[in-house]
Amino acid sequence: MLVGDSASLIDPFTGEGIGNAMISGKWASEQARDALYEGDFSVNALKQYDKTVYKKIGGELRVSAVMQKLIKYPWLFNQFY
Ligand SMILES: Cc1cc2nc3c(=O)[nH]c(=O)nc-3n(C[C@H](O)[C@H](O)[C@H](O)COP(=O)(O)OP(=O)(O)OC[C@H]3O[C@@H](n4cnc5c(N)ncnc54)[C@H](O)[C@@H]3O)c2cc1C
């Protein structure tokens, strides 16, 4: 299971990644605990971690990726000042 920067969870717009590194570490540890408990370390079982990441912060990161692309157009951002 990849967490934090190794999973590309840094926010592409703000450059912040500490929070996502910490929360993804928590989710990964919970998944590892469940795998230990169930004795199931299969790809299928561990995929639940990926699903959690996509569900909880996937949308936010997708929006940030779009924002990162839009920053090339300062006139657009200046509308919000
Ligand atoms: C200049 C700068 C400013 C930033 N400012 C902010 C900010 O203000 N707010 C914010 O939220 N985020 C900020 N970030 C991003 C934030 O630092 C990262 O997103 C966050 O630290 C990622 O945490 P991580 O645990 O995934 O990785 P890291 O913090 O990079 O931890 C990975 C660790 O693994 C170690 N390592 C690597 N390879 C191996 C190996 N083979 N064996 C053993 N250990 C290994 C490394 O030495 C490192 O200690 C900034 C980043 C930079 C570069």
Side-chain angles (χ1 to χ4, degrees):
M1 290 179 283
L2 295 174
V3 302
D5 282 5
S6 63
S8 299
L9 297 182
I10 193 161
D11 187 300
F13 186 62
T14 65
E16 290 170 337
I18 296 171
N20 285 348
M22 292 177 75
I23 196 72
S24 59
K26 177 175 179 281
W27 295 330
S29 70
E30 288 168 354
Q31 186 61 55
R33 177 204 59 201
D34 292 350
L36 267 172
Y37 185 74
E38 304 285 340
D40 183 0
F41 292 89
S42 64
V43 170
N44 232 14
L46 297 184
K47 250 195 184 138
Q48 187 53 47
Y49 164 72
D50 295 38
K51 286 183 188 163
T52 302
V53 170
Y54 279 109
K55 189 172 156 208
K56 304 254 188 185
I57 54 176
E60 179 188 320
L61 292 178
R62 268 193 296 277
V63 168
S64 281
V66 171
M67 298 279 276
Q68 185 200 39
K69 288 192 179 99
L70 292 179
I71 199 85
K72 280 189 292 190
Y73 309 101
W75 58 267
L76 186 61
F77 277 82
N78 288 342
Q79 310 295 317
F80 301 102
Y81 279 126

